[in-house]
Amino acid sequence: MEATPQAQPLNYQSMNMSSVPQKDTSDVESIDHEQSTQETHPNLPLSIDKKKQLHEDQKSITYKRYLPLLILNYILLFVGSVASSLLSKYYFIHKGDSKWVSTWVQCAGFPVLVIPIFLPTILRYTKRKPFTDFNLKISVLSIFVGLMLGVNNFLISWGVAYLPVSTSALLLSSQLAFNLILSAIIVKQKITFSNLNCVILITLGSIILALNSSSERPQGLTQKYYFIGFFCTLGAGLLFALYLPVMEKIYKRVYCYEMVMEIQFIMEIAATALATIGMLWEGGFSEMKNEAENVFDKGPTIYWVTIVSTVITWQCCFMGTAGMVFLTSSLTGGICSTALLSMNVLGGVIVFKDAFGGFKAVSTILCLWGFSSYVYGMYIKMVQEKAQKKKSHESSTELIPTGNSGDTH
């Protein structure tokens, strides 16, 4: 005789859970499928979107190496920005007079980028092979932006040649106003009180500087060339402001720092090609040898040390800028770069004895004030985002009861 089924204790595990909302695992299953497919067929090409799913996004603040990478790039930006500005001015102060040489050294150090591109693969940090994620569109964009960067470098060279380093640095801060507008148009940057306040303060500092800048024109420099340097610097600021959001637009398709350096590598090859054409048109690299031996008043050894040091420090500057844009945003990268201009001002005063009157003091204070305002706004935003993510994570990990707490006797 069959035993009559006994009532079982209520257990949520044995219940039909179809009525309970379940976490959608389709994305996870898709990723697992892609990983399995890639391991079985390693030569099968994947789209960049699929690769972004398969790899941990290094732009995420939850990525364990995000903060160290951010700090490293800001150090590169800090060292590169201050040192390259001072070295470029040093070149012109000691009778160096080639604008194309000054332009060429800003991008000729691109072979240095081979280190961050290939080192992760050599150390087996990643299985990704360098330049494997490139397509025609990214390559063409990189070349185009590289040519734009080459023009920007040339304008900076004219500005540094004719202006005191402190004046040049503070004028470049005007790029923030352009940066905010272009970022809002190109990458839909949200305009908040903190970033608008920062832009207004720093731009106001540049206007104050401009009102009294002609009074410190370098000795022997005509008013014509002074204003050429003045407007070339403003033009460089505009191009740099355009460069940053365009790069952010490109980086939206990028998931790893190595690919950022690969894009930078192609860009700087294009910028170097443009500068090399200018060098050949002006007299070729033989002109550098003549300049080292007969023009530069510190002698050939110091000349070549200056050239090599400038090449390396400019690479540090561009690597840091690219990393900041990738890890944060174009506006943040621009603001961090602008905040360092006050250090360039102080460097020009300390190293080259540039005048530091009341106008520059007010401009520097406004620059630091604006930067501090923006950093505080970013801090509040990060705290809110972390709190929101924590709350979301806690709600998504609530356990469904599985014990016998609901048993009936």
Side-chain angles (χ1 to χ4, degrees), residues 122-138:
I122 294 173
L123 297 179
R124 299 183 183 278
Y125 171 73
T126 178
K127 294 181 180 179
R128 176 187 174 275
K129 295 181 180 179
F131 296 99
T132 54
D133 298 330
F134 270 74
N135 54 40
L136 181 61
K137 183 178 180 180
I138 291 179

Side-chain angles (χ1 to χ4, degrees), residues 169-351:
L170 286 171
L171 278 175
L172 283 173
S173 66
S174 64
Q175 61 93 9
L176 264 186
F178 303 130
N179 193 354
L180 180 62
I181 296 171
L182 294 172
S183 293
I185 296 172
I186 297 174
V187 294
K188 311 303 180 185
Q189 171 70 48
K190 184 179 179 181
I191 298 178
T192 63
F193 173 78
S194 62
N195 59 38
L196 183 61
N197 182 55
C198 174
V199 169
I200 291 174
L201 288 172
I202 294 177
T203 304
L204 183 59
S206 299
I207 294 173
I208 291 174
L209 174 69
L211 293 175
N212 195 49
S213 59
S214 61
S215 62
E216 59 173 32
R217 186 165 65 243
Q219 187 176 3
L221 184 67
T222 64
Q223 186 173 7
K224 172 187 174 182
Y225 284 104
Y226 181 83
F227 281 108
I228 287 176
F230 193 92
F231 288 109
C232 280
T233 303
L234 288 177
L238 176 59
L239 269 180
F240 189 68
L242 176 61
Y243 162 79
L244 292 176
V246 169
M247 290 311 302
E248 182 180 353
K249 190 80 171 178
I250 296 174
Y251 291 160
K252 287 184 180 296
R253 303 281 296 171
V254 175
Y255 60 87
C256 64
Y257 185 73
E258 294 84 7
M259 193 172 178
V260 173
M261 293 297 101
E262 292 162 10
I263 293 174
Q264 191 72 20
F265 185 81
I266 294 177
M267 283 172 44
E268 295 203 32
I269 288 177
T272 303
L274 181 64
T276 301
I277 292 172
M279 288 274 289
L280 295 174
W281 176 67
E282 194 176 65
F285 291 92
S286 59
E287 189 66 23
M288 290 182 70
K289 183 179 179 181
N290 177 65
E291 190 174 59
E293 295 177 352
N294 303 315
V295 179
F296 198 72
D297 62 11
K298 290 293 183 178
T301 301
I302 300 298
Y303 177 85
W304 292 114
V305 169
T306 302
I307 293 295
V308 172
S309 300
T310 308
V311 166
I312 294 173
T313 53
W314 271 113
Q315 281 308 302
C316 291
C317 182
F318 284 128
M319 286 172 64
T321 302
M324 291 296 293
V325 173
F326 168 69
L327 294 169
T328 56
S329 68
S330 56
L331 184 60
T332 301
I335 286 176
C336 289
S337 300
T338 305
L340 291 175
L341 294 178
S342 60
M343 298 302 298
N344 291 345
V345 172
L346 296 177
V349 172
I350 295 171
V351 177

